Amino acid sequence: MKEILVVDCQYDFIDGTLACGHSEEAVKNIIAFINANPDAKVYYSADNHSINHCSYAQNGGTWPVHCNAGTHGAELHASFSTDIANPSQRPNDSNIYYKGENDSVEEYSAFEARNKAGHSLNEVIGNDVIVCGIATEFCVRESVLALMKSGRKITVPADMLGWVDEAGHNKTIAELASMGVKVA
């Protein structure tokens, strides 16, 4: 069975404070892929910060305020709930894994993210994973590296990614391919 990890397809990364290139297209392509694979198991990761998070420039970090818990910017794109045909593949409390909840830790990777029940993604995801989402150079890359380090086989469909910078995206794709990631 295919397993798909959809990384951080949240409004702040699509059209908000950290809007990324190719993000709307990536969402559409991900949904089409999920609908073409109705038996695939789908997991979603989501940044979920407080206003005091260390990644924010106002707190000494790199990034503008983004994905504050409970805000529109932190929500997954609504199309995942409306346009995915199989209801079990839509975002829900058991398949959304939250990261970045510790204010003092920058957490790009979804590997240790937890769902509402407290289960860690790395405890439930399989050994052959398709990773897609936003952003290639940061959260997607770090999630792929952590999954690979744990011995999993990874496929990254390039048309199902959004990026901060297209040159950085291309460099990251080449890097991952050179490490044994299947780039589709």
Side-chain angles (χ1 to χ4, degrees):
M1 172 174 42
K2 289 185 179 172
E3 296 201 29
I4 304 165
L5 172 58
V6 179
V7 177
D8 300 359
C9 286
Q10 298 164 271
Y11 283 110
D12 272 344
F13 299 129
I14 296 167
D15 61 9
T17 59
L18 265 172
C20 291
H22 198 256
S23 56
E24 283 284 357
E25 297 89 343
V27 168
K28 288 176 187 164
N29 293 338
I30 292 166
I31 290 169
F33 184 80
I34 291 170
N35 283 333
N37 294 277
D39 295 329
K41 178 91 172 148
V42 182
Y43 305 89
Y44 299 87
S45 73
D47 264 6
N48 197 44
H49 302 314
S50 88
I51 197 65
N52 299 315
H53 198 264
C54 67
S55 69
Y56 296 164
Q58 68 190 29
N59 300 327
T62 305
W63 306 108
V65 173
H66 64 278
C67 299
N68 274 350
T71 65
H72 173 73
E75 293 174 14
L76 293 172
H77 196 288
S79 296
F80 290 106
S81 295
T82 59
D83 296 350
I84 292 177
N86 180 346
S88 71
Q89 294 178 309
R90 297 175 189 156
N92 60 62
D93 283 347
S94 66
N95 70 1
I96 301 173
Y97 291 79
Y98 298 95
K99 59 190 185 67
E101 294 186 312
N102 181 334
D103 286 341
S104 62
V105 177
E106 177 66 89
E107 189 175 17
Y108 291 125
S109 172
F111 191 73
E112 296 289 341
R114 297 192 173 277
N115 67 6
K116 291 286 185 190
H119 300 290
S120 176
L121 180 68
N122 71 53
E123 297 169 346
V124 298
I125 202 162
N127 290 320
D128 194 354
V129 185
I130 297 161
V131 181
C132 54
I134 308 169
T136 307
E137 313 95 308
F138 296 96
C139 297
V140 170
R141 178 184 182 275
E142 294 303 317
S143 297
V144 166
L145 293 176
L147 288 164
M148 284 182 63
K149 187 176 179 182
S150 72
R152 291 168 170 96
K153 180 181 165 192
I154 308 298
T155 301
V156 175
D159 67 339
M160 292 169 32
L161 298 172
W163 51 76
V164 173
D165 172 76
E166 191 168 7
H169 159 80
N170 291 332
K171 181 181 175 186
T172 300
I173 290 296
E175 172 199 21
L176 294 176
S178 74
M179 298 172 75
V181 172
K182 180 180 176 188
V183 177

